[in-house]
C-alpha cells in the first residue's frame, strides 16, 4: 500500500537515525495510513479511502461528502 493520504496528501518524511556514537543512518518516517470504507449517500455505494488517522478525524468532523469533494478537487478519482 502506498504511504500516502488521499485527503491531506501526507507522505513519508526522510531523515537520519543518529546512534549514540553519532553515526547517521538513513531512515523514513511513515504517516499512520489506514484503509477505511465509507458509505457515500450521493453515489449510493461504498468508497474505500486510504487516509491518515488525522484525516479520518477530519472526515468525522466535516462529513464524507465534503471530504470526497476535497479529494476530487485535488484531481483524484473516488
Amino acid at each position: 500500500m502506498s504511504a500516502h493520504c488521499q485527503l491531506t496528501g501526507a507522505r513519508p518524511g526522510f531523515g537520519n537515525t543518529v546512534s549514540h556514537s553519532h553515526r547517521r543512518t538513513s531512515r523514513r518516517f511513515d504517516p499512520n495510513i489506514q484503509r477505511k470504507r465509507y458509505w457515500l449517500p450521493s453515489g449510493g455505494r461504498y468508497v474505500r479511502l486510504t487516509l491518515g488517522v488525522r484525516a479520518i478525524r477530519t472526515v468525522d468532523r466535516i462529513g464524507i461528502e465534503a471530504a470526497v469533494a476535497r479529494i476530487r478537487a485535488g484531481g483524484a478519482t473516488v
Side-chain angles (χ1 to χ4, degrees):
M1 169 176 17
S2 170
H4 155 265
C5 176
Q6 288 181 301
L7 183 61
T8 63
R11 291 184 179 273
F14 295 89
N16 292 307
T17 298
V18 182
S19 70
H20 180 69
S21 65
H22 217 62
R23 285 181 61 126
R24 289 177 171 86
T25 308
S26 181
R27 67 159 291 180
R28 179 174 149 150
F29 297 90
D30 286 326
N32 189 359
I33 299 295
Q34 308 292 323
R35 287 187 55 125
K36 189 143 170 67
R37 194 174 82 144
Y38 289 99
W39 173 253
L40 189 63
S42 65
R45 65 187 179 100
Y46 284 99
V47 292
R48 190 176 300 277
L49 300 176
T50 305
L51 301 171
V53 290
R54 194 177 80 204
I56 292 173
R57 293 179 62 203
T58 301
V59 171
D60 291 343
R61 186 170 43 83
I62 67 173
I64 185 62
E65 296 289 345
V68 167
R70 284 188 191 181
I71 292 170
R72 287 181 175 152
T77 58
V78 176

